[in-house]
Amino acid sequence: MSYTNKPVPEEIKRWNWGAFMFNIIWGFGNKSYLPLLALVPLLNLVWIFVCGIKGNEWAWKNGDYDSVETFMKVQETWNRAGFVYFIISIVMAVLFFIFFFTTMMAMIATSASHGY
């Protein structure tokens, strides 16, 4: 890990959806290897949030960006992709639970009508 001690501008210290949702891939893409800790079972439940919070700082310290604007343009793509993936994941989870509970209720109703 080659974290530099260069100061992190305040406007960079914000949530990064790409680091949160694509932590390991995002880490490789931004020369940041701390997101690999998301591979550790149980720790990953907390670590993905750490990645979302600290991701921009890690990427800034490892990158060779000309300006904050250049950095933000690069991270904007990651943020957009991560946020879209987050929304899709939530929608899919809700649909799964609706399907699961609907199926379970139908099975209970069927077994109750047959006297099981």
Side-chain angles (χ1 to χ4, degrees), residues 24-74:
I24 295 166
I25 297 166
W26 178 91
F28 282 120
N30 287 281
K31 302 177 200 163
S32 179
Y33 304 106
L34 283 172
L36 286 172
L37 290 173
L39 294 171
V40 178
L42 299 179
L43 174 63
N44 59 2
L45 298 173
V46 173
W47 197 251
I48 61 173
F49 289 96
V50 173
C51 290
I53 293 166
K54 299 295 279 181
N56 279 347
E57 293 179 48
W58 297 337
W60 175 260
K61 288 182 177 189
N62 286 323
D64 52 348
Y65 296 98
D66 299 338
S67 66
V68 172
E69 292 76 27
T70 303
F71 174 83
M72 294 308 283
K73 283 187 183 205
V74 170

Side-chain angles (χ1 to χ4, degrees), residues 80-94:
R80 189 177 309 117
F83 186 69
V84 168
Y85 187 62
F86 176 76
I87 296 299
I88 290 170
S89 297
I90 295 297
V91 168
M92 294 303 289
V94 167

